[in-house]
Amino acid sequence: MPAARVTVVGIGADGWAGLPEPSRDLVAGADVVIGAPRQLGLLPAADGQRRLSWPTPLHAGLPALFEELAGRRIVALASGDPLLSGIGSTLIGLLGADRVTVVPAVSSVTLARARLGWPAESVSVVSVVGRDVHAVLRELAPNRRVLVLSSDETTPGRLAALLTERGYGASRLTVLADLGSAAESRLDTTAADFTGAVPRLNIVALDLVGPPAHGWSAGLPDDAFDHDGQLTKRDLRASALSRLAPAPGQLLWDVGAGAGSVGIEWMRAHPSCRAVAVEANETRAQRISANARHLGVPALQVVHGSAPDALAELPAPDAVFVGGGLSRDGVLAACLAALRPGGRLVAHAVTLETETRLIEAYREHGGELTRIHVEHAAPLGTFTGWTPGRTVTQWALAT
């Protein structure tokens, strides 16, 4: 049986009327049209054409769906540009670019920028479609412009409440709904003043006004994280991250994650960075998730378990940080074995026993072995003196 091929057609809020003739012909000539119920409802009736809603859950149901439809002429409907946080990206990942043809329409982001007069280079785009709105917090900075792809009619209210809570209540908040259709609407307000209902299909424009927020460079203040003392401190964290070298799209394992600070900062470095925090203590694992949401990276994956066993089913990492668990046999070996080519590993030790393991690893594999001693000025009676922290041995290896 031939493998499925799909044409993804972008459709706007204006529906069938707004589709150019070539796109109409593609939809009309399909044996099967797949889309969200709202999108399918925009099409005129077509005798003999099968129309299907996307399976739930989406990713788990797609392989069986396309196996069943193989050999049929399939059109999938997408909102606007199918490759802008859309189904087109998902289908290419599943079927391959050679089996997916994309016919885009004007995206809601493009229409929103046109209505607002915002140049593309002045705007950041964040999708919270089916995702946690806390992802917007990574973008907080005075005078920053953000377009938020909404999940539904509740998104603007949740964004407004979140911004107000963070001291950004004065931010201009514009809800642009049903863009490109006859029912298009616009609501201009501030985050603090937002009230009322908005249409389900909307995009939210934020012109941020508020206090300076955390930047994206490594080394957030320690008090940015909720912790019980099990935290990679600021200067050590910055040193580790400089060697881990976050890069777009790459995956980090944060092993023995404690408060999750290294994994969180890795993900803050770029919106496409991914991280898995592995933590044996259940309370700390829950705290990591809360810290990740608070700092704008709610997609950080938390695994409650002990290394090396908890690492067995994880996808191969591009980088690994071992902040805890070095005393357990097999942890360092498992991390080294899992690294992708070109990967980086950084491990910290504070005891003589774990330092010995790092010295042995350095002798066997090479890399960089460093002892880091940090002192902070603090009151000493009526004077000021230096308060030393624990010396940390750091081993860094680039494969």
Side-chain angles (χ1 to χ4, degrees), residues 66-161:
F66 286 113
E67 183 177 350
E68 176 198 345
L69 298 177
R72 312 291 295 277
R73 290 173 296 176
I74 306 168
V75 163
L77 300 179
S79 295
D81 182 351
L83 296 179
L84 180 63
S85 295
I87 191 65
S89 305
T90 301
L91 296 182
I92 287 174
L94 175 68
L95 301 173
D98 59 330
R99 298 194 175 279
V100 179
T101 301
V102 177
V103 183
V106 177
S107 72
S108 59
V109 168
T110 299
L111 289 172
R113 288 193 291 99
R115 302 295 188 266
L116 296 162
W118 288 1
E121 61 272 17
S122 74
V123 181
S124 177
V125 179
V126 177
S127 174
V128 297
V129 178
R131 303 171 188 171
D132 193 323
V133 296
H134 284 76
V136 173
L137 296 181
R138 180 187 174 275
E139 305 296 329
L140 287 190
N143 304 313
R144 187 162 176 78
R145 290 171 170 174
V146 182
L147 288 173
V148 183
L149 302 176
S150 289
S151 191
D152 54 35
E153 68 275 14
T154 69
T155 300
R158 288 184 286 133
L159 283 172

Side-chain angles (χ1 to χ4, degrees), residues 16-348:
W16 185 257
L19 281 179
E21 199 64 35
S23 294
R24 288 189 182 188
D25 292 342
L26 287 169
V27 175
D31 298 318
V32 182
V33 178
I34 312 170
R38 178 189 64 81
Q39 295 165 337
L40 295 173
L42 298 173
L43 305 181
D47 291 340
Q49 188 178 75
R50 187 179 177 188
R51 294 182 177 174
L52 302 173
S53 295
W54 293 110
T56 304
L58 179 67
H59 291 275
L62 286 177
L65 175 65
F66 286 113
E67 183 177 350
E68 176 198 345
L69 298 177
R72 312 291 295 277
R73 290 173 296 176
I74 306 168
V75 163
L77 300 179
S79 295
D81 182 351
L83 296 179
L84 180 63
S85 295
I87 191 65
S89 305
T90 301
L91 296 182
I92 287 174
L94 175 68
L95 301 173
D98 59 330
R99 298 194 175 279
V100 179
T101 301
V102 177
V103 183
V106 177
S107 72
S108 59
V109 168
T110 299
L111 289 172
R113 288 193 291 99
R115 302 295 188 266
L116 296 162
W118 288 1
E121 61 272 17
S122 74
V123 181
S124 177
V125 179
V126 177
S127 174
V128 297
V129 178
R131 303 171 188 171
D132 193 323
V133 296
H134 284 76
V136 173
L137 296 181
R138 180 187 174 275
E139 305 296 329
L140 287 190
N143 304 313
R144 187 162 176 78
R145 290 171 170 174
V146 182
L147 288 173
V148 183
L149 302 176
S150 289
S151 191
D152 54 35
E153 68 275 14
T154 69
T155 300
R158 288 184 286 133
L159 283 172
L162 188 59
L163 291 174
T164 302
E165 174 190 315
R166 294 303 182 90
Y168 276 72
S171 300
R172 295 297 305 172
L173 187 152
T174 302
V175 182
L176 299 162
D178 298 312
L179 282 168
S181 75
E184 181 176 318
S185 64
R186 173 173 176 162
L187 171 65
D188 290 286
T189 182
T190 65
D193 294 334
F194 177 83
T195 58
V198 297
R200 183 175 181 82
L201 187 63
N202 69 80
I203 184 169
V204 182
L206 304 175
D207 201 343
L208 295 173
V209 178
H214 298 302
W216 296 337
S217 61
L220 293 181
D222 292 343
D223 61 10
F225 304 90
D226 180 25
H227 63 91
D228 60 2
Q230 293 298 311
L231 172 77
T232 302
K233 301 299 191 295
R234 183 179 198 173
D235 300 288
L236 298 166
R237 194 182 331 123
S239 175
L241 283 159
S242 71
R243 291 162 172 82
L244 291 167
Q250 292 198 338
L251 173 67
L252 170 80
W253 286 359
D254 185 357
V255 180
S261 60
V262 172
I264 288 169
E265 291 218 45
W266 168 279
M267 289 186 66
R268 284 178 60 83
H270 192 273
S272 67
C273 283
R274 299 167 294 133
V276 179
V278 180
E279 174 54 51
N281 182 284
E282 184 176 2
T283 300
R284 290 175 187 157
Q286 294 171 350
R287 187 180 289 121
I288 291 168
S289 294
N291 281 333
R293 295 179 77 230
H294 180 77
L295 289 165
V297 288
L300 182 143
Q301 180 184 349
V302 180
V303 173
H304 174 218
S306 297
D309 295 343
L311 308 176
E313 302 300 323
L314 299 181
D318 301 285
V320 177
F321 176 70
V322 186
L326 270 177
S327 60
R328 294 175 63 89
D329 290 338
V331 170
L332 198 56
C335 292
L336 287 169
L339 272 178
R340 291 179 179 274
R344 291 85 62 200
L345 182 144
V346 174
H348 284 180

